[in-house]
């Protein structure tokens, strides 16, 4: 049987330059989609999948993330005194239990692979999930990570969520090569980061959701740099592929790249349209705008 996946890593040390000036004093991960910060949506996905320990790789000026996942007695007391029971219950329901969160600093912006390596002592010698916080996945049923864990229980090894994109856009993504699959699950036989036009091994791009085995840390420890002079997680996965199985999952759901302004705005609309108290009014207002 595959070892259980109990821990998830969230790399949140990025500068968020595409959202300046909004991200100058507020971490981009704390920008809200409707009324919940981006990072809360992603943590919710992990919690719903059964993750028990949430590991945040942070940087300077990211203390708001740590504060968000901590208790605020003054606020709780004020809500209780004013009889705002529903708001208080919702606030406490979102909080991880004591001991379920850990924070580690990535002192230098050396790439996603380096951020993952910074979490090695907290993850230890066990498989873990990696979720990029600026990617939201809206699903009608099981969340993306929960779908991946179902695949992991069957196949073990390493699992990557993928989605098809038009050929003209493949040069902007990490792309996997796959063998014959069964339904939505395919064995991975190769990976390339931002392939040159016409050279991509498939149209399946790496989404930003991973289940990885701890041996990835040994590879990342070499601190070999790749594209952009950074330590790339894709390069480390390519090396791990030589000795371990990888499977790709074409998940059921819709992705929003909230690292881009358009993706962030679309996510706000899509998530608001799921809220009964907002749906009809929002739809009517959008019609007025267009």
């Amino acid at each position: 049987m595959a070892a259980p996946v109990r821990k998830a890593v969230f790399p949140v040390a990025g500068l968020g330059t595409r959202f300046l000036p909004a991200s100058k004093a507020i971490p981009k991960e704390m920008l809200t989609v409707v009324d919940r910060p981006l990072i809360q949506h992603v943590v919710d996905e992990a919690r719903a999948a059964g993750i028990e320990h949430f590991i945040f790789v942070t940087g300077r000026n990211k203390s708001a993330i740590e504060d968000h996942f901590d208790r605020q007695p003054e606020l709780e007391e004020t809500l209780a005194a004013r009889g705002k029971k529903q708001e208080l219950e919702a606030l406490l329901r979102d909080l991880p239990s004591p001991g379920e969160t850990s924070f580690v600093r990535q002192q230098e912006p050396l790439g996603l692979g380096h951020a993952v390596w910074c979490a090695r002592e907290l993850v230890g010698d066990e498989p873990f999930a990696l979720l990029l916080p600026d990617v939201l996945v809206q699903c009608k049923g099981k969340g993306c990570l929960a779908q991946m864990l179902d695949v992991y229980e069957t196949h073990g090894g390493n699992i990557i969520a993928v989605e098809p994109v038009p050929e003209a856009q493949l040069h902007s993504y990490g792309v996997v090569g796959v063998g014959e699959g069964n339904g939505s699950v395919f064995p991975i036989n190769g990976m390339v980061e931002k392939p040159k036009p016409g050279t991509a091994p498939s149209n399946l791009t790496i989404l930003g959701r991973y289940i990885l085995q701890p041996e990835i840390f040994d590879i990342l420890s070499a601190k070999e740099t790749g594209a952009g002079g950074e330590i790339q997680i894709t390069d480390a996965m390519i090396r791990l592929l030589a000795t371990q199985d990888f499977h790709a999952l074409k998940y059921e759901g819709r992705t929003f790249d909230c690292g881009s302004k358009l993706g962030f705005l679309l996510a706000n609309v899509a998530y608001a349209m799921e809220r009964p108290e907002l749906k009809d009014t929002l739809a009517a207002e959008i019609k007025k705008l267009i």
Side-chain angles (χ1 to χ4, degrees):
M1 292 181 60
V5 178
R6 303 184 307 110
K7 299 177 180 180
V9 174
F10 305 87
V12 294
L15 297 176
T17 53
R18 286 188 288 178
F19 277 90
L20 288 171
S23 57
K24 179 181 178 182
I26 300 172
K28 68 173 183 178
E29 297 84 6
M30 290 299 296
L31 298 177
T32 55
V33 172
V34 188
D35 55 4
R36 301 173 74 76
L38 276 169
I39 187 62
Q40 182 70 64
H41 284 281
V42 182
V43 168
D44 289 345
E45 178 188 330
R47 182 186 286 114
I51 294 298
E52 302 171 7
H53 190 176
F54 308 91
I55 301 168
F56 300 87
V57 183
T58 71
R60 288 181 293 278
N61 301 320
K62 298 283 185 168
S63 59
I65 297 174
E66 188 167 352
D67 291 340
H68 177 73
F69 290 104
D70 198 0
R71 298 194 65 169
Q72 191 172 350
E74 298 86 353
L75 176 58
E76 295 168 19
E77 292 169 4
T78 299
L79 292 174
R82 294 179 180 177
K84 294 185 177 294
K85 183 179 179 181
Q86 185 176 355
E87 290 83 353
L88 179 58
E89 289 177 350
L91 191 68
L92 296 177
R93 186 169 57 245
D94 288 341
L95 286 178
S97 298
E100 287 186 347
T101 57
S102 296
F103 298 83
V104 61
R105 283 288 185 99
Q106 181 189 17
Q107 287 91 345
E108 299 178 88
L110 298 179
L112 177 57
H114 181 257
V116 173
W117 177 80
C118 289
R120 67 198 183 283
E121 297 296 338
L122 293 169
V123 172
D125 188 24
E126 57 184 285
F128 64 99
L130 170 63
L131 297 91
L132 303 192
D134 53 3
V135 175
L136 294 191
V137 186
Q138 188 181 44
C139 303
K140 293 187 180 299
K142 282 188 176 182
C144 182
L145 183 58
Q147 296 176 46
M148 294 172 67
L149 286 169
D150 287 343
V151 176
Y152 176 75
E153 288 182 5
T154 300
H155 295 281
N158 304 269
I159 312 296
I160 301 176
V162 298
E163 65 174 353
V165 304
E167 184 175 353
Q169 300 176 18
L170 291 174
H171 67 279
S172 298
Y173 297 89
V175 182
V176 300
V178 296
E180 291 294 327
N182 180 16
S184 59
V185 181
F186 305 84
I188 294 175
N189 54 33
M191 285 178 251
V192 59
E193 183 70 24
K194 298 181 178 180
K196 295 180 180 179
T199 65
S202 76
N203 69 337
L204 298 176
T205 61
I206 298 172
L207 168 68
R209 298 289 189 274
Y210 316 75
I211 294 173
L212 297 170
Q213 296 297 318
E215 287 78 12
I216 196 80
F217 293 121
D218 295 331
I219 298 171
L220 291 170
S221 292
K223 299 182 180 179
E224 295 181 359
T225 57
E230 296 184 336
I231 301 170
Q232 300 287 350
I233 192 69
T234 302
D235 292 342
M237 291 192 298
I238 290 171
R239 290 187 58 188
L240 189 59
L241 180 61
T243 58
Q244 292 189 3
D245 289 339
F246 277 75
H247 283 84
L249 168 66
K250 290 174 66 175
Y251 69 97
E252 295 181 3
R254 181 179 179 184
T255 299
F256 299 95
D257 176 10
C258 293
S260 72
K261 295 180 179 69
L262 179 59
F264 178 73
L265 292 171
L266 290 173
N268 268 279
V269 173
Y271 277 75
M273 291 296 287
E274 285 191 329
R275 303 278 285 270
E277 75 276 17
L278 297 174
K279 180 179 179 180
D280 293 340
T281 303
L282 176 61
E285 292 298 325
I286 289 175
K287 288 180 180 179
K288 293 179 184 179
L289 291 173
I290 58 177

